[in-house]
Amino acid sequence: MRMDFDAPKPEIKIVHGKNIMFQKVVDEVLHGIEEEGVPFSIEELEDANPVELAFRGAELSHLGVGIGITENEVVLHFIKLKEDQPIFRIPAYSNEATLRAIGSNAARLVKKMPFKNLDNTELS
Amino acid sequence: MIIAGIDIGNASTETALARYVDGKPEFLCSGIVDTTGMKGTRQNIHGVFASLKQALEKADLTVEDVDLIRINEAAPVIGDVAMETITETIITESTMIGHNPSTPGGLGIGVGVTVDIREVNNCDKGESVIVVIPREVDFEDSSRIINHAVNNGIFINGAIVQRDDGVLINNRLTKKIPIVDEVSLIDKVPRNMRAAIEVAAAGSVVEQLSNPYGIATVFDLTSDETKQVVPVSRALIGNRSAVVIKTPAGDVKERKIPAGQIIIQGTNKKAQVNVDDGAEKIMDAIRSVAPVEDIRGEAGTNAGGMLEKVRQVMSHLTDQLPSAIKIQDLLAVDTFVPQTVKGGVAEEFSMENAVGIAAMVKADKLQMNMIAHELEAELGVKVEVGGVEADMAIRGALTTPGSNKPLAIIDMGAGSTDAAIINRAGEIKSIHLAGAGNMVTLLIASELGYDNMALAEDIKKYPLAKVESLFHIRHEDGTVQFFDKPLDPRTFARVVILTPNGMVPMPGNYSLERIRAVRREAKTKVFVVNAIRSLERVSPTGNVRDIEFVTLVGGSALDFEIPQLVTDALSKYSIVSGRANIRGVEGPRNAVATGLVLAYEEGE
């Protein structure tokens, strides 16, 4: 996936903090989006609050969907929601399936498909 | 004096409370609670108490103020419903995965021998292979192994994957192959067998494997073998992806379960009909021998079992010998039931034919007197059993503004559909038929494959909507409604039932149109059919057209679409029909209870 900030491409924007030590978390989230077949791009920002990162992502995204990732949390946000009320937030230590599911849900928000269940990924 | 009329119905117990002044009733208020226990049994008494208490509290009265309680001589009919599938599909040794993951990978059709991905490097050069990828192997390893094997000259033509990894694997392959993922029971996929995989482009459906000749082409089948794969191809129709595996002993059968015969004994005639012939034939047979005395099923068959089950339940409830229970009406409805294919791999299901049956039994009359006695003893108020239920219902229905004799009513309850007609002279004729609200619930539940009857009940009662974004829904009629606050993410992009307690998301992938069609069809199959059937029986000429005015009463007349469906169907016979409005305030409820109070005035 090529990073291209100028072209108004429909993408989900993933925003994570600088100097990350949690590449594995980011990768799993990205795999979730990729499996659903929705384009995405990644950006690095200086901000420690995952909700703010996610909302910033939603603002940057032409689809209005952003994911904020810090070493503690993964947050899914949508541009039309209040800034302090994201759709989903899960701890970064969640298992692989849950991390992927939040990525899938970002894509499903775009595709208008029912979300995967983040509490029990076996169920969806 | 103060009189309470209490109607014990199959689903609800209703009270009408009135004060008689100078021989004229003045209605005070009414009460309604769920019927406790099966109608006509001792357990009803709790419901009667609760219903009466509710009405009394509204009127600021106590039990001591009541001078007389009149309960209905409950039409001694009890309805029960049963469902029996008459076909089933069995796969001996799994031979297909008719599976619809939301995101399969790749595109096209691939044929090869199934091999576990961890053993793929043992394959010979030039061999055609379908790799089977269990949960333990992640997508990065799988794609690397596949790319490596392809470079070594092994033809990998497709993949069957347990996890939801299809697109991820596909994106990392140098040579694209069709991939079916989310195959839950991957251990059941036979290894070293010839298999074919097809994945259609987004928006299309599989074409080769949903065609019996397509499967024959892939596997070089003989004409006899092609005949056998018809159920496989049929089950794959409409899927975006499919796998068919040919095992030497593999065999898919659509088995017809011998459904047996139904024997209808009329007063003068007798008829036998095969359940396999479908609902229409059964109903014709019932019409031809009317009036029906008893209906039995052929012993040792499904039909026999189904009717005997109803008989057992009834005999248990009414404390009579099963042989004394006479089934006096039956409503048969053709339906489809999604059934898990026996021997399937990914929980495939196929739509099997089924017959739903509602039966009506005449029970013991004495039970009502027993209830009256017990009530009288406990309350210290005189309790009498009023007139016949249908007569009472007509009396009640005539309080609807704009109605007059001659008038027919259709009482659409939960357990049975009753009809009565009153002519200008005041003579009343009535009939009870099997099949009502409970039958509709059963049909909805079985056709959508839900075990949850409460959910089916909700589908029956409330309209649907589709949640289109976090902020808006689209109703069944296409109107859009916006909300200030974001909706529950669990409802997002789903079909929801708009219950008074909020939106209930529907499980499964049914579209709104499909659920709506199932719901309306179930209602039509039961209530429209029964409305016409019952009017035919009570019409003085036997012809529905000779009835002019019909009011609809009973709990199911409260439904948001049943009255319209019936009104619409009856208008074709130039009948004026509509929902009753008892006493101008109660709607279609409380007809019998009101009638019980009014009948006192006439000294009955």
Side-chain angles (χ1 to χ4, degrees):
Chain A
M1 211 52 58
R2 200 164 52 95
M3 291 220 243
D4 190 346
F5 297 117
D6 300 318
K9 223 166 110 187
E11 288 170 334
I12 293 172
K13 188 69 82 182
I14 295 94
V15 184
H16 58 70
K18 279 233 159 84
N19 306 322
I20 49 165
M21 306 287 287
F22 38 85
Q23 190 60 45
K24 179 83 186 126
V25 174
V26 177
D27 283 349
E28 284 306 336
V29 174
L30 296 186
H31 292 150
I33 303 175
E34 186 186 341
E35 174 65 25
E36 298 286 333
V38 175
F40 56 84
S41 63
I42 307 160
E43 197 158 330
E44 246 183 55
L45 280 180
E46 199 98 47
D47 199 329
N49 182 341
V51 177
E52 275 170 40
L53 287 181
F55 195 74
R56 184 82 193 106
E59 284 175 331
L60 291 171
S61 160
H62 280 270
L63 297 168
V65 177
I67 296 180
I69 304 176
T70 63
E71 52 191 325
N72 300 320
E73 247 187 319
V74 181
V75 177
L76 171 58
H77 221 313
F78 186 47
I79 188 74
K80 289 179 186 159
L81 294 174
K82 291 211 176 80
E83 186 165 355
D84 56 346
Q85 287 169 3
I87 308 178
F88 294 114
R89 49 197 305 175
I90 58 169
Y93 57 75
S94 302
N95 64 25
E96 193 184 300
T98 311
L99 291 170
R100 244 207 236 185
I102 201 169
S104 297
N105 283 352
R108 288 177 172 211
L109 182 60
V110 174
K111 298 203 293 187
K112 297 218 192 311
M113 276 173 65
F115 292 133
K116 290 193 174 189
N117 186 339
L118 292 180
D119 303 321
N120 187 348
T121 41
E122 288 291 317
L123 272 182
S124 47
Chain B
M1 71 185 292
I2 288 178
I3 294 188
I6 301 178
D7 166 31
I8 304 164
N10 276 303
S12 56
T13 300
E14 300 173 341
T15 303
L17 200 62
R19 174 180 281 129
Y20 264 86
V21 184
D22 301 331
K24 287 273 166 223
E26 177 194 318
F27 282 91
L28 301 170
C29 55
S30 44
I32 179 168
V33 299
D34 288 346
T35 296
T36 47
M38 196 78 166
K39 171 181 176 179
T41 59
R42 190 181 297 261
Q43 287 95 315
N44 295 163
I45 290 177
H46 305 288
V48 171
F49 276 146
S51 177
L52 178 62
K53 221 178 122 203
Q54 198 187 73
L56 285 169
E57 268 170 16
K58 281 192 221 162
D60 245 339
L61 294 170
T62 61
V63 178
E64 284 75 44
D65 298 320
V66 180
D67 298 295
L68 177 66
I69 294 172
R70 291 169 60 83
I71 61 173
N72 55 324
E73 184 184 297
V77 295
I78 307 173
D80 197 12
V81 287
M83 174 74 65
E84 204 65 66
T85 47
I86 53 181
T87 56
E88 67 176 336
T89 303
I90 300 172
I91 306 180
T92 48
E93 288 205 30
S94 21
T95 47
M96 65 153 185
I97 301 172
H99 177 51
N100 235 357
S102 59
T103 51
L107 193 65
I109 183 156
V111 183
V113 172
T114 53
V115 174
D116 191 301
I117 187 145
R118 289 165 290 198
E119 288 155 19
V120 79
N121 286 322
N122 304 338
C123 292
D124 296 330
K125 211 170 174 176
E127 207 175 326
S128 289
V129 171
I130 301 278
V131 286
V132 178
I133 305 174
R135 182 173 294 281
E136 299 81 50
V137 186
D138 80 5
F139 67 93
E140 279 179 356
D141 290 338
S142 344
S143 45
R144 208 180 50 243
I145 295 170
I146 294 172
N147 283 336
H148 180 75
V150 169
N151 284 341
N152 286 347
I154 301 169
F155 293 107
I156 296 193
N157 294 336
I160 304 170
V161 185
Q162 189 168 19
R163 295 210 277 191
D164 184 8
D165 276 349
V167 177
L168 290 170
I169 294 173
N170 185 58
N171 286 350
R172 285 160 181 76
L173 293 184
T174 41
K175 183 190 151 228
K176 302 296 178 193
I177 55 171
I179 303 170
V180 172
D181 60 358
E182 291 181 77
V183 176
S184 47
L185 304 173
I186 201 142
D187 296 335
K188 282 209 190 167
V189 173
R191 310 294 151 95
N192 302 315
M193 298 292 166
R194 247 175 109 68
I197 293 194
E198 185 175 1
V199 174
S204 334
V205 292
V206 291
E207 283 175 11
Q208 182 97 358
L209 297 184
S210 60
N211 172 3
Y213 299 120
I215 299 180
T217 312
V218 170
F219 292 122
D220 295 326
L221 299 184
T222 65
S223 57
D224 276 346
E225 288 168 324
T226 308
K227 230 177 189 173
Q228 287 188 348
V229 300
V230 170
V232 177
S233 54
R234 211 188 95 195
L236 297 175
I237 292 173
N239 279 4
R240 211 192 127 192
S241 63
V243 179
V244 176
I245 302 161
K246 186 169 185 275
T247 56
D251 190 5
V252 179
K253 279 190 230 153
E254 187 187 42
R255 202 173 64 152
K256 249 209 159 122
I257 305 166
Q261 299 225 312
I262 288 182
I263 303 134
I264 306 144
Q265 178 66 56
T267 325
N268 311 313
K269 282 189 278 181
K270 186 176 174 181
Q272 286 205 359
V273 60
N274 231 322
V275 174
D276 297 350
D277 293 343
E280 207 173 312
K281 282 272 165 59
I282 300 175
M283 297 317 291
D284 282 347
I286 290 173
R287 201 169 296 136
S288 73
V289 301
V292 174
E293 288 208 322
D294 193 16
I295 300 172
R296 300 187 166 274
E298 191 184 341
T301 65
N302 272 346
M306 187 163 32
L307 291 177
E308 282 322 302
K309 205 160 60 191
V310 172
R311 215 182 288 276
Q312 288 288 341
V313 171
M314 296 303 162
S315 87
H316 184 71
L317 283 165
T318 56
D319 250 342
Q320 296 184 70
L321 286 172
S323 56
I325 303 281
K326 305 279 184 213
I327 297 179
Q328 301 209 307
D329 185 45
L330 188 140
L331 176 70
V333 174
D334 283 327
T335 177
F336 290 98
V337 183
Q339 293 260 305
T340 314
V341 175
K342 286 183 189 161
V345 185
E347 287 165 12
E348 304 93 331
F349 63 83
S350 81
M351 295 303 280
E352 305 290 354
N353 295 308
V355 174
I357 281 185
M360 186 211 61
V361 171
K362 289 234 170 172
D364 192 348
K365 275 192 183 179
L366 294 174
Q367 298 265 353
M368 270 353 246
N369 283 326
M370 183 271 300
I371 292 174
H373 281 308
E374 286 207 9
L375 266 177
E376 195 164 301
E378 288 209 33
L379 291 174
V381 178
K382 190 168 181 302
V383 180
E384 61 181 31
V385 178
V388 178
E389 185 168 332
D391 299 4
M392 297 304 113
I394 278 227
R395 258 178 246 274
L398 278 169
T399 61
T400 298
S403 70
N404 204 353
K405 298 175 201 172
L407 176 79
I409 58 161
I410 303 175
D411 183 348
M412 304 187 290
S416 66
T417 305
D418 309 329
I421 192 164
I422 187 166
N423 64 14
R424 239 174 273 275
E427 289 159 322
I428 293 172
K429 186 182 176 193
S430 65
I431 181 93
H432 305 282
L433 295 179
N438 292 345
M439 181 72 171
V440 174
T441 310
L442 177 80
L443 286 176
I444 292 174
S446 59
E447 215 153 305
L448 295 175
Y450 296 141
D451 295 331
N452 184 345
M453 281 296 161
L455 181 68
E457 186 80 18
D458 279 349
I459 297 173
K460 178 181 79 175
K461 278 199 201 142
Y462 307 112
L464 303 167
K466 169 99 182 181
V467 178
E468 295 204 325
S469 80
L470 286 171
F471 291 97
H472 82 276
I473 63 172
R474 188 176 293 271
H475 289 274
E476 274 180 33
D477 63 354
T479 46
V480 172
Q481 185 182 0
F482 278 86
F483 295 87
D484 295 340
K485 295 219 171 78
L487 301 165
D488 185 339
R490 274 171 303 187
T491 66
F492 179 73
R494 285 189 187 275
V495 177
V496 292
I497 313 170
L498 300 173
T499 75
N501 304 323
M503 297 179 193
V504 178
M506 300 271 304
N509 279 328
Y510 294 111
S511 70
L512 184 143
E513 287 74 21
R514 165 102 177 103
I515 300 168
R516 180 171 186 264
V518 166
R519 184 191 72 210
R520 288 177 69 93
E521 209 169 294
K523 288 173 178 176
T524 307
K525 279 175 181 170
V526 174
F527 282 111
V528 171
V529 168
N530 260 355
I532 293 168
R533 219 155 64 94
S534 61
L535 292 178
E536 260 173 14
R537 301 258 196 110
V538 296
S539 167
T541 59
N543 189 341
V544 180
R545 288 179 183 278
D546 294 323
I547 296 174
E548 231 178 315
F549 293 99
V550 174
T551 58
L552 309 174
V553 300
S556 296
L558 281 171
D559 188 88
F560 67 99
E561 64 188 354
I562 290 172
Q564 281 102 308
L565 290 170
V566 173
T567 299
D568 186 44
L570 290 183
S571 70
K572 290 175 190 136
Y573 297 88
S574 44
I575 296 173
V576 180
S577 72
R579 186 191 285 181
N581 193 8
I582 310 298
R583 289 188 262 125
V585 291
E586 294 283 345
R589 283 275 189 200
N590 212 272
V592 174
T594 300
L596 281 165
V597 172
L598 292 174
Y600 173 75
E601 167 192 24
E602 291 160 33
E604 282 182 30

